[in-house]
Amino acid sequence: MPGFEFFGAEERKEVNDVLETGIIMRYGFDGPRKGVWKAKELEKAITEVFGSKYAQLTSSGTSALTTAFAALGIGFGDEVIMPAFTFVASFEAVLRVGAIPVLVDIDETLTLNPAAVRAAITPRTRCIMPVHMCGSMADIDALKQICDEHKLIFLEDACQSIGATYKGRHVGTIGDAGTFSFDFVKIITCGEGGVVLTNDESVYTKCDGYTDHGHDHLNLDRGADQHPFLGYNYRISELHAAVGLAQIRKLDKFLEIQRKNHSLLRSMLAEVPEVSFRQIPDPAGDTCTHLSWFLPTEAHTKAFVAEMKAQGVLPGNFYWYANNWHYIKQWDHLKTATTLHAVSDEQKAALLKLSTTSFPASDAIMSRCISTAISLLWTEDQIREKGEKMVAAIRKALQA
Ligand SMILES: *Cc1c(COP(=O)(O)O)cnc(C)c1O
């Protein structure tokens, strides 16, 4: 799955370009940097590869989401509808800008169920945020339709699905804004980093300032810049951007290998009639970072997990239902509103309410779901061996 599996001379060369000038900051120092602008170069490459008009690099996917919310004008008292299955960063960013995360059920796309979204809309809803989980995509047309009907902002958390497409367009570029993460385990990595994608110039200009203390970036001398609004430091460094530049050039190769490995493993699991697969709104656009599949019951799934554990081959088979990072069931810090900084009374009330809200429809899906991470490094023999072990464990689990 992650770009770090293919880390080598190309990344070292790009980083060395920066080390040779010693200018590891992305702004200013125009003379000594001798024409080396890795962050600017990566932003340009991102707009070209993914087809968004603008790209603003940030220090992480989490800061990209926070920046996107701020630039889209989402804040105090606004409700953001998001899925109960995601990575914790999605709600962290909502809370950071003062907004209220409204968690709703997923369906077999493993992200927002459009009917659950409709049912959650209130007069305070401002934004719908699907999270394109595990390399694939949300039911984008259905969700966008709801946004259009209710005049809501559509923000795509595409942090896990760099390179996925939906009806020919890259996810992350379809909504009012979208985000990617380039953390160490994402499809392409900078070590740490993220990006906000948008086609809206005013949203982009706000992202540009917000991530750098509000600078308008109109002067050679940073000290002479105006600050049209308050910002923060969510900058990426030149060293991180340099790594990303080498990685983005490998994206097509990563996707090709992932798709090939995924297809072989999928065909092996498909021979077991009790196995079903995640619903993928546009199968041709799946990045295939994971193969996500279901067993008929929670008990069967738990038996499979136990069997894989016993054989020492659990790593790579993710059972998100029991995982502390990805599913609402385990988010105790969120449900008890345990924060270091104050949150608004409304935010607190919404979080505490989550501790008594149940998500039976999502439980019924997540408790039967396994996501198998697809490695870029597997040989065909290794995939066959892995597939055979998994099929044997599945057959055993089905008899339990
Ligand atoms: C990784 C991830 C993020 C946050 O990215 P970081 O770069 O780790 O801050 C946000 N959302 C999702 C769905 C992610 O998987």
Side-chain angles (χ1 to χ4, degrees):
M1 171 201 179
F4 76 70
E5 291 183 318
F6 267 57
F7 194 93
E10 303 81 4
E11 285 77 5
R12 285 197 292 277
K13 191 253 163 212
E14 293 297 325
V15 171
N16 261 330
D17 289 349
V18 178
L19 292 177
E20 271 162 28
T21 67
I23 308 302
I24 56 184
M25 156 112 173
R26 70 159 298 179
Y27 296 113
F29 303 90
D30 292 41
R33 69 167 61 242
K34 301 196 181 91
V36 176
W37 297 93
K38 296 298 181 188
K40 280 194 208 300
E41 217 186 309
L42 179 55
E43 283 166 347
K44 183 156 177 288
I46 289 170
T47 60
E48 288 166 1
V49 169
F50 301 104
S52 79
K53 269 202 187 132
Y54 305 98
Q56 176 64 49
L57 284 168
T58 62
S59 53
S60 70
T62 310
S63 60
L65 281 169
T66 308
T67 299
F69 281 126
L72 292 164
I74 294 163
F76 202 76
D78 292 334
E79 292 178 358
V80 176
I81 297 179
M82 54 167 286
F85 172 53
T86 178
F87 177 57
V88 291
S90 312
F91 61 69
E92 288 168 359
V94 176
L95 292 169
R96 200 74 199 94
V97 295
I100 299 166
V102 175
L103 277 71
V104 307
D105 272 320
I106 59 155
D107 58 20
E108 290 201 357
T109 62
L110 299 187
T111 191
L112 292 175
N113 176 335
V117 170
R118 274 188 198 279
I121 292 175
T122 76
R124 308 184 66 172
T125 307
R126 283 289 311 287
C127 174
I128 295 177
M129 175 172 65
V131 184
H132 303 299
M133 286 301 281
C134 306
S136 178
M137 78 294 298
D139 186 352
I140 293 180
D141 280 349
L143 295 169
K144 215 159 167 290
Q145 166 86 28
I146 301 173
C147 289
D148 293 346
E149 276 169 34
H150 293 267
K151 306 220 168 354
L152 302 174
I153 291 166
F154 191 46
L155 171 61
E156 299 173 74
D157 179 342
C159 287
Q160 297 194 1
S161 293
I162 304 168
T165 56
Y166 177 77
K167 300 187 177 173
R169 294 168 75 190
H170 278 277
V171 307
T173 69
I174 299 167
D176 295 287
T179 61
F180 293 157
S181 160
F182 301 122
D183 80 22
F184 193 54
V185 297
K186 294 306 203 285
I187 299 179
I188 54 178
T189 183
C190 293
E192 299 285 0
V195 70
V196 183
L197 304 160
T198 183
N199 294 317
D200 182 328
E201 184 177 5
S202 86
V203 170
Y204 163 70
T205 305
K206 287 173 189 155
C207 293
D208 176 59
Y210 189 76
T211 51
D212 187 25
H213 305 296
H215 278 257
D216 64 5
H217 295 138
L218 295 178
N219 301 277
L220 254 173
D221 171 10
R222 280 174 63 75
D225 276 351
Q226 301 286 319
H227 303 94
F229 49 81
L230 277 170
Y232 299 91
N233 175 7
Y234 291 151
R235 294 185 303 254
I236 195 165
S237 83
E238 284 287 279
L239 291 171
H240 292 86
V243 174
L245 207 47
Q247 289 261 304
I248 198 171
R249 296 181 186 129
K250 301 178 180 179
L251 177 62
D252 283 347
K253 182 171 152 198
F254 292 170
L255 295 179
E256 187 192 322
I257 298 171
Q258 266 167 198
R259 286 172 175 153
K260 190 168 118 265
N261 293 353
H262 180 279
S263 152
L264 177 55
L265 190 63
R266 189 184 194 284
S267 69
M268 295 183 76
L269 297 202
E271 298 205 347
V272 184
E274 290 88 347
V275 169
S276 61
F277 294 93
R278 169 200 194 165
Q279 187 189 326
I280 299 185
D282 182 357
D286 188 357
T287 67
C288 297
T289 59
H290 292 79
L291 174 64
S292 296
W293 50 280
F294 307 103
L295 283 174
T297 68
E298 177 175 345
H300 290 137
T301 315
K302 287 196 162 140
F304 168 80
V305 171
E307 180 59 27
M308 294 307 274
K309 219 177 228 165
Q311 290 185 27
V313 283
L314 186 66
N317 281 305
F318 292 101
Y319 186 44
W320 308 119
Y321 191 58
N323 174 293
N324 289 344
W325 270 5
H326 288 278
Y327 188 56
I328 183 154
K329 209 158 67 79
Q330 255 76 255
W331 292 336
D332 290 339
H333 62 322
L334 180 74
K335 294 187 279 187
T336 54
T338 308
T339 57
L340 295 183
H341 57 82
V343 294
S344 74
D345 291 346
E346 285 176 320
Q347 285 178 312
K348 186 157 188 170
L351 299 185
L352 294 178
K353 203 176 125 208
L354 285 174
S355 62
T356 55
T357 310
S358 55
F359 293 84
S362 300
D363 287 347
I365 293 167
M366 295 312 298
S367 64
R368 299 183 296 108
C369 178
I370 301 282
S371 291
T372 308
I374 303 297
S375 171
L376 296 169
L377 302 176
W378 288 339
T379 62
E380 197 180 314
D381 285 348
Q382 284 171 328
I383 300 170
R384 288 192 193 283
E385 192 187 326
K386 189 174 181 82
E388 277 161 21
K389 274 194 184 142
M390 285 172 64
V391 167
I394 291 168
R395 291 220 157 99
K396 198 163 166 194
L398 287 168
Q399 277 150 27

